[in-house]
Amino acid sequence: MLVSEIFFSIQGESSYSGLACVFVRLAGCNLACTWCDTPYARDDLGASEMSPDGVVDEVERYGCGLVEITGGEPLVQEETPGLAAALADRGLEVLVESNGSVPIGGLDERVVRILDIKCPSSGHAGSFLIENLDSVRPVDEVKFVMAGREDYDFAVRFMEEYLCGRTGNVLFAPVTPELDPALLASWILRDSLTVRLQLQMHKYIWPERGGDGL
Ligand code: SF4
């Protein structure tokens, strides 16, 4: 597998935020989002070739019960579902974050899927595979990263037309500094949305390192 980095940090996003977590960042992505915060992981430059077993061994070295496989887009590598299952076999809680533009149905049932549905300002609205909704369960999470009102309206429409309550774990995350979190909060409150406002906790803890942990 092509691995961009493996590191141990505080989970800064999702409803798991605040927990210690090992991150496996796989290299390669099928999109090129405007707001991409990991451009270095979009291709294999600087990536290391590792076997799935080698990745599992490296993750276990940290002695942490939570692991997230992310990218790039982790599901562009065909070994990813097998890696996720192998980590779950070791008793770890496994999160996979995907942009949802590639099929997620091959992931093990024990794996929590976190889907980052692209809004218009990303340049990839419409990239989400609607058939992936069949694989979204109540334990899974759906995230919208938004830079303004057009993105917010897109997310609300998507929730109403497609998500239809498949999961209650819906995350609204502002792009900073483009969208003031206070403004996003006011929209959420005015519309009485049952969503979680998500700020990237790691960027508050380690602002000088761009949010990278250990
Ligand atoms: S899907 Fe993620 S990694 Fe790929 S370009 Fe978009 S933000 Fe970057």
Side-chain angles (χ1 to χ4, degrees):
M1 308 190 75
L2 279 172
V3 179
S4 175
E5 56 184 345
I6 298 176
F7 61 100
F8 186 41
S9 188
I10 295 292
Q11 175 62 262
E13 303 187 4
S14 79
S15 54
Y16 293 79
S17 69
L19 297 175
C21 182
V22 181
F23 291 84
V24 177
R25 188 180 305 288
L26 299 179
C29 186
N30 58 330
L31 301 182
C33 302
T34 310
W35 311 117
C36 182
D37 57 359
T38 53
Y40 57 90
R42 290 216 305 252
D43 56 40
D44 53 10
L45 286 177
S48 308
E49 180 76 44
M50 294 178 75
S51 67
D53 285 346
V55 174
V56 171
D57 290 346
E58 178 67 12
V59 168
E60 287 201 309
R61 215 170 55 76
Y62 293 99
C64 176
L66 181 65
V67 58
E68 175 172 313
I69 303 173
T70 185
E73 168 47 55
L75 292 173
V76 296
Q77 298 198 41
E78 61 184 25
E79 300 101 323
T80 299
L83 170 64
L87 290 163
D89 287 345
R90 301 290 181 102
L92 301 180
E93 183 159 22
V94 184
L95 317 176
V96 170
E97 177 159 351
S98 167
N99 62 35
S101 68
V102 288
I104 63 167
L107 287 168
D108 191 283
E109 285 298 306
R110 293 167 293 178
V111 173
V112 172
R113 303 108 197 250
I114 300 176
L115 298 176
D116 178 0
I117 298 178
K118 299 302 176 185
C119 294
S121 72
S122 73
H124 289 291
S127 60
F128 184 77
L129 285 185
I130 290 297
E131 52 267 38
N132 274 340
L133 288 172
D134 295 336
S135 303
V136 174
R137 308 153 304 166
V139 296
D140 298 324
E141 309 204 351
V142 171
K143 174 173 82 167
F144 298 91
V145 177
M146 45 192 72
R149 185 72 201 197
E150 184 188 11
D151 288 348
Y152 176 85
D153 291 339
F154 171 91
V156 171
R157 262 197 322 277
F158 191 100
M159 284 173 61
E160 289 170 357
E161 290 179 20
Y162 298 112
L163 208 51
C164 304
R166 284 181 167 82
T167 174
N169 299 319
V170 180
L171 313 159
F172 277 20
V175 176
T176 50
E178 280 72 14
L179 177 57
D180 180 357
L183 180 59
L184 176 54
S186 73
W187 294 341
I188 291 170
L189 294 172
R190 194 173 314 141
D191 292 341
S192 293
L193 296 184
T194 310
V195 301
R196 187 187 299 261
L197 174 62
Q198 174 183 280
L199 305 179
Q200 293 179 302
M201 186 183 286
H202 49 292
K203 292 192 175 167
Y204 291 87
I205 303 172
W206 296 289
E208 73 287 352
R209 283 189 268 167
D212 286 341
L214 301 180

